[in-house]
Amino acid sequence: MKPGKVKIFFFFIFLQFINSNLYSETKMKDEKFAEIYILDKVSSKTSNIIVKVGKEVIFQNLIINILKCRNSKFDDDPEVTAYMQVRDLKNKDKDKVFIFNDWTFSSSPSIRPFDHPVYDIWLNKCYS
């Protein structure tokens, strides 16, 4: 190889190394468990439930499934996000399978609110 091509080759290797390191710092880490709070609006009782990611949990009339749970790598203010699916056992409407099927955020639950007449669900944390 010619000296100019060797410099260009090492320059591209260096850029790839920097790019992979920058990406790894901001990458979200998948966790194995999610902790959620459930408020029963009728009785005003709050329950703390730990859900294993990928396993369905039955709480009262709800079936809750957390498909992904992630923590960001930021040290000053970590963001906890989870992809959650919730079904209501009393809902007999065949057209609506899930009453909630979306990402939820612990710092801002109002971005994607869980809307149910009896229950409120908030994501608290994710951990392994």
Side-chain angles (χ1 to χ4, degrees):
M1 280 179 108
K2 293 183 181 180
K5 290 186 178 183
V6 171
K7 287 181 184 177
I8 292 173
F9 175 74
F10 283 116
F11 178 71
F12 282 116
I13 297 292
F14 177 72
L15 286 178
Q16 183 65 25
F17 175 74
I18 289 175
N19 188 28
S20 65
N21 281 342
L22 290 175
Y23 178 70
S24 67
E25 290 298 318
T26 58
K27 185 179 176 184
M28 302 285 272
K29 180 183 174 192
D30 286 340
E31 303 292 348
K32 296 179 182 161
F33 296 95
E35 182 178 311
I36 57 174
Y37 293 131
I38 302 176
L39 170 66
D40 185 338
K41 297 176 190 176
V42 176
S43 66
S44 298
K45 290 184 179 180
T46 303
S47 300
N48 183 17
I49 295 184
I50 297 172
V51 180
K52 185 172 181 174
V53 174
K55 300 288 182 182
E56 290 184 343
V57 172
I58 297 176
F59 177 82
Q60 306 282 332
N61 301 324
L62 302 178
I63 298 175
I64 303 165
N65 189 8
I66 306 287
L67 298 177
K68 294 211 178 261
C69 199
R70 297 178 172 168
N71 291 315
S72 67
K73 295 266 186 178
F74 298 113
D75 294 335
D76 54 344
D77 189 21
E79 179 64 68
V80 180
T81 60
Y83 192 85
M84 181 170 58
Q85 293 178 332
V86 182
R87 289 183 290 168
D88 191 346
L89 293 173
K90 288 189 174 184
N91 188 0
K92 302 299 180 194
D93 186 6
K94 299 291 183 190
D95 293 332
K96 191 170 183 180
V97 176
F98 298 108
I99 57 174
F100 186 82
N101 185 21
D102 210 344
W103 288 94
T104 184
F105 305 91
S106 65
S107 64
S108 303
S110 61
I111 291 176
R112 299 268 192 252
F114 175 79
D115 188 28
H116 191 271
V118 179
Y119 302 104
D120 275 339
I121 298 178
W122 295 284
L123 175 65
N124 185 31
K125 64 181 177 179
C126 299
Y127 59 92
S128 291

